[in-house]
Amino acid sequence: MTSAVDEVPLTLDEAPPKTLGFLDQGAFWANLGVSLLGFSGALYLLDPLGGAPLSMVAAVLAAVVGSLVGTVMVGLAAIPGARTGAPAMVLLRGLFGARLSYLPTVLNIVQMLGWGAFELWVIAKGARAVFGDSVPYAVWVLVAGALTIALTIRPLGAIRLLRRFVTAAVVVAMVWLAVALLREAPHLGGGSWNAFAPAVDYVIALSVSWVPVAADYARHSRSGRAAFAGVVTGYTIAQVACLVLGIVALALVGNDPERVWNAFVAVPLGALFFGVLVLREADQSFANVYSTAMSLQNLLPRVDRRVFSVGVGVLTTGVALFANVNSYGAFLGVIGAVFVPMFAVLVVDYFVLGGAARWDTSQDAPSRWAMLVPWLLGFVAYWVFTGAATLEWWDERWAALRGLIGFERQPWMSAALAAFVVSALATLLVSLLRRRARDGAALTDAPVAR
């Protein structure tokens, strides 16, 4: 049983306990890597541009490459949290300053609310796939919302519960369903490599959505190494398995994401094991609601996190009652565009430019306006290089910009890689310019020799 002193502090005034080891972190992130959204969303991996599906080999390789790249990003973002003990959005005070950290905090709150609503929608739809339509959708949403809120009250206890009991059940369910689906001999041939880069971008975006929350859990890790290894090992293996299983299931239903869960339920004991995955989905909604509460504490550090958790849980449940999951692909595109370049700025400043030695997470940390420049440039680079479709009016504007500058996007180009490289190089350039400006000011202020 978890004691009060081993739980997450109620406010930011208290130091976090360091009680999570590699197995805790690995099991937690492995559970996050398995998602029912991943099964239906595997269509975005298989055919990210629409009408040009990848071959099975290309899709699996895209899942592996995208997962590795994305989880390394998440793992690196977790290390400063383990070292400083600061939640993710508080950690960004060291990058942008206390007040400027409110900008990524608000953006993170918005994306977490969106993810939370998606997850409650998934739980409700998954429950109806198992038990039929006798129980209304709204009832399942309310039940899932209540369970989510309960888990957020004692989050470290919830993580230990996942490691001890849920992870083993999920592994058994995934193995059973994989064997049963492959026995149905789905047709997995055909396709090409033309959309490989956009497919990798999609998988990276799946992972990178966790970058701005990684430190919320790593701050309780016994070491940065355990946090990094837990993320990369647990999440990579689970996400690749989830996406590949989704591709197999889609092949059995003619690549119809609306019927993909039917393939799972239809196999022997499918309802039982798919039900395990539906119940496990609550860890996704838990992580989203809890991290939203932690983000809110960056804005109001002395408010009890349990108050935020209940409020966010109720709001997320309300949104889920009217959620439209058809915007899922566009939602992931926005996440990648915002958080890949932000991560690049963070990792360069913290690991390369010596930020670890001067990281200031206090409430009066000075604003660092210059750090917004490389973030913005990376955001622009993402949309210039991306080939994925989001909203028509938004895509038209970026197409017009490409035409204006005479840029023609090639199929092999990766928007995530472009955004990362542009932001990373811009961060190095900003640092160099600031250093030269300081050196110039020092020379100007130096006394002139007679």
Side-chain angles (χ1 to χ4, degrees):
M1 185 173 179
T2 306
S3 65
V5 295
D6 290 333
E7 259 303 339
V8 177
L10 300 182
T11 67
L12 293 184
D13 294 334
E14 306 167 64
K18 301 279 190 175
T19 58
L20 300 181
F22 166 73
L23 291 179
D24 296 305
Q25 293 281 354
F28 173 66
W29 287 100
N31 277 286
L32 292 183
V34 177
S35 172
L36 301 188
L37 271 175
F39 296 143
S40 56
L43 184 61
Y44 293 98
L45 163 65
L46 192 62
D47 191 11
L49 301 181
L54 293 174
S55 67
M56 182 62 179
V57 174
V60 172
L61 184 59
V64 173
V65 172
S67 294
L68 280 173
V69 172
T71 53
V72 166
M73 291 183 180
V74 180
L76 288 174
I79 291 174
R83 290 178 177 176
T84 64
M89 293 300 104
V90 175
L91 190 68
L92 291 182
R93 294 176 183 177
L95 183 62
F96 298 113
R99 292 190 178 277
L100 283 183
S101 73
Y102 295 167
L103 174 59
T105 297
V106 171
L107 292 174
N108 190 48
I109 289 170
V110 172
Q111 77 125 346
M112 286 289 103
L113 286 173
W115 268 122
F118 275 135
E119 294 300 343
L120 293 181
W121 178 91
V122 166
I123 294 172
K125 290 292 186 179
R128 298 190 85 189
V130 174
F131 298 105
D133 299 337
S134 57
V135 178
Y137 165 81
V139 172
W140 287 117
V141 170
L142 293 173
V143 170
L147 175 60
T148 296
I149 293 172
L151 291 172
T152 62
I153 301 302
R154 297 182 66 82
L156 292 184
I159 291 175
R160 292 191 183 91
L161 178 68
L162 291 173
R163 178 176 66 83
R164 293 173 183 171
F165 304 107
V166 179
T167 303
V170 170
V171 170
V172 172
M174 290 284 286
V175 171
W176 179 275
L177 291 171
V179 172
L181 288 175
L182 288 171
R183 282 181 174 176
E184 298 292 323
H187 175 66
L188 301 173
S192 70
W193 288 77
N194 292 338
F196 180 77
V200 171
D201 283 342
Y202 163 74
V203 180
I204 290 174
L206 278 176
S207 308
V208 166
S209 65
W210 297 110
V211 160
V213 305
D216 294 339
Y217 311 97
R219 66 191 290 238
H220 302 289
S221 182
R222 292 170 191 156
S223 68
R225 181 179 299 177
F228 178 85
V231 171
V232 175
T233 303
Y235 196 92
T236 300
I237 294 173
Q239 179 164 269
V240 171
C242 178
L243 290 172
V244 172
L245 195 54
I247 292 172
V248 174
L250 283 168
L252 291 171
V253 295
N255 285 345
D256 182 357
E258 298 292 329
R259 297 191 297 125
V260 66
W261 295 342
N262 297 343
F264 291 95
V265 177
V267 303
L269 297 181
L272 171 63
F273 288 109
F274 191 72
V276 170
L277 300 184
V278 172
L279 180 62
R280 180 227 51 82
E281 196 76 15
D283 68 356
Q284 298 265 356
S285 55
F286 148 70
N288 290 305
V289 170
Y290 171 68
S291 285
T292 305
M294 297 307 296
S295 296
L296 285 167
Q297 278 199 318
N298 185 42
L299 307 178
L300 299 167
R302 292 182 177 81
V303 176
D304 190 320
R305 62 170 174 79
R306 296 172 298 185
V307 174
F308 281 141
S309 293
V310 173
V312 171
V314 170
L315 177 59
T316 302
T317 302
V319 173
L321 292 173
F322 307 98
N324 178 14
V325 81
N326 291 329
S327 58
Y328 177 59
F331 180 63
L332 282 175
V334 173
I335 288 174
V338 171
F339 292 110
V340 167
M342 188 192 75
F343 163 77
V345 180
L346 171 66
V347 74
V348 170
D349 195 52
Y350 188 89
F351 292 102
V352 179
L353 299 176
R358 52 171 167 74
W359 215 250
D360 184 359
T361 60
S362 65
Q363 287 184 261
D364 56 356
S367 296
R368 303 179 69 202
W369 290 92
M371 292 296 100
L372 294 178
V373 175
W375 184 18
L376 178 60
L377 291 175
F379 177 84
V380 172
Y382 187 98
W383 293 110
V384 169
F385 280 82
T386 188
T390 55
L391 300 175
E392 185 176 353
W393 64 270
W394 182 257
D395 295 338
E396 287 175 353
R397 281 156 177 76
W398 291 106
L401 177 61
R402 292 189 201 103
L404 183 65
I405 63 178
F407 177 79
E408 184 175 351
R409 188 193 172 278
Q410 301 300 318
W412 52 266
M413 292 179 177
S414 167
L417 179 60
F420 181 89
V421 171
V422 168
S423 287
L425 292 176
T427 304
L428 292 172
L429 179 59
V430 166
S431 175
L432 176 62
L433 293 175
R434 293 180 67 185
R435 186 177 304 169
R436 286 187 175 180
R438 286 195 301 267
D439 292 344
L443 289 174
T444 302
D445 295 338
V448 179
R450 290 180 179 273

